[in-house]
Amino acid sequence: MPEWLDRVLSTLIGDHRHYPIERRLFNTISLLNAVANIGGAFAALISQTSRFLFFLHLGTGVLFAAFYYLSRFRDAYRGLYWPFLVVILAFLFINSLFNAGSAGGAHYYFIPALVIGIVLSTHARRTVVAFVVFGVTTAALFIIEQNHPGWITGHASPLERMLDVSSNFLFVQFLTGILVVVLTKNLNQERAKSDSLLLNILPASVAEELKANDVVSPRHYESASVLFTDFVGFTQIAEGMTPEKLIAELDACFSRFDAIAR
């Protein structure tokens, strides 16, 4: 990834060195939803399909932007999971009713929305509840369509239905692909962090064996050299140094010890 793009992403969703993966994922997904819904509001305005749909997209887009702000700049992402998911479900449910139900394309978004719910979930119980809530909401949509067809706003023509279904289907594919890319990127960053930590304290061959087998087989060496050192007067020296200076001095010393050992 280009360095400038990495800096932009770090600014938008948080530096992976300082932000946990759960928070970065929430920042990314809430920002994507905000952009998508606010963009959908302007699309509805330009196409003049429905004033209600315009306000529905705009209102939920503003809510998603608020979720992003609270998570990115106020560290409140832990308490935003269910409010965020409820807004998504309410938006998809209402949007589907006003977009021809199962005959339209709005209900396709329940699939990436469930993916979002699972990706953002940090507990097994929460994941199970998310499955149940999505299942009940989707079932309710089809039950309403079957028993109260008058509640569903249909398409004005077959051409309008074709355009609605095809555009939504393509966008759902695009959105799902983005979610996979975001998840993969964040998981790769976490793997790189753990690999860097292992390689900082273990030789590469030992680290690879530990990752592969969870244990390291004992190794026999015919001969070995051991370096013993002692910092004479360390306590007195440390008392006169700042923590930052002390750590820097120790790092320089141990780096030199490593060089001598090699």
Side-chain angles (χ1 to χ4, degrees):
M1 177 181 296
E3 186 177 344
W4 66 268
L5 181 57
D6 194 49
R7 288 198 300 269
V8 170
L9 291 177
S10 295
T11 301
L12 288 175
I13 67 176
D15 194 326
H16 68 275
R17 294 169 295 184
H18 308 297
Y19 285 65
I21 185 173
E22 296 86 0
R23 186 174 177 184
R24 297 200 311 273
L25 287 172
F26 189 92
N27 294 344
T28 304
I29 292 173
S30 57
L31 181 60
L32 284 174
N33 276 272
V35 172
N37 279 40
I38 293 175
F42 286 103
L45 184 65
I46 293 172
S47 61
Q48 298 180 342
T49 53
S50 169
R51 181 174 295 181
F52 175 79
L53 289 179
F54 165 75
F55 285 110
L56 176 66
H57 281 80
L58 183 61
T60 53
V62 171
L63 284 175
F64 290 136
F67 289 142
Y68 166 75
Y69 172 79
L70 291 173
S71 175
R72 175 66 180 86
F73 301 104
R74 290 291 180 262
D75 195 22
Y77 71 98
R78 294 179 183 85
L80 296 176
Y81 177 81
W82 285 116
F84 182 74
L85 219 60
V86 167
V87 172
I88 289 179
L89 281 169
F91 166 74
L92 293 179
F93 187 82
I94 298 172
N95 195 35
S96 296
L97 291 179
F98 278 81
N99 277 281
S102 62
H107 67 294
Y108 295 149
Y109 291 92
F110 278 101
I111 298 173
L114 177 57
V115 174
I116 289 173
I118 295 171
V119 167
L120 295 180
S121 174
T122 55
H123 307 289
R125 182 180 300 179
R126 180 184 285 180
T127 302
V128 172
V129 174
F131 269 105
V132 173
V133 170
F134 270 89
V136 169
T137 305
T138 306
L141 177 65
F142 286 98
I143 291 172
I144 289 175
E145 184 174 355
Q146 179 66 31
N147 297 303
H148 302 281
W151 295 8
I152 307 294
T153 302
H155 294 106
S157 66
L159 176 61
E160 182 180 303
R161 177 183 182 277
M162 187 273 292
L163 293 175
D164 176 46
V165 171
S166 59
S167 61
N168 278 290
F169 189 82
L170 289 172
F171 193 78
V172 165
Q173 286 183 314
F174 179 72
L175 178 60
T176 305
I178 289 179
L179 291 175
V180 172
V181 170
V182 167
L183 183 59
T184 302
K185 173 179 169 53
N186 282 277
L187 290 176
N188 286 338
Q189 287 177 335
E190 292 300 305
R191 183 183 297 111
K193 285 167 62 177
S194 63
D195 288 348
S196 177
L197 180 61
L198 280 177
L199 293 174
N200 194 43
I201 58 177
L202 296 172
S205 59
V206 175
E208 290 299 325
E209 184 177 352
L210 184 62
K211 289 192 297 180
N213 306 318
D214 293 330
V215 294
V216 178
S217 301
R219 286 172 169 77
H220 174 74
Y221 295 95
E222 293 295 337
S223 62
S225 296
V226 180
L227 172 65
F228 290 94
T229 66
D230 178 45
F231 291 90
V232 178
F234 177 78
T235 303
Q236 290 78 11
I237 295 173
E239 287 176 350
M241 303 174 68
T242 64
E244 294 79 9
K245 179 64 175 175
L246 177 61
I247 295 299
E249 290 288 341
L250 289 175
D251 181 65
C253 291
F254 278 96
S255 297
R256 182 58 180 158
F257 294 158
D258 288 341
I260 293 171
R262 283 194 296 269

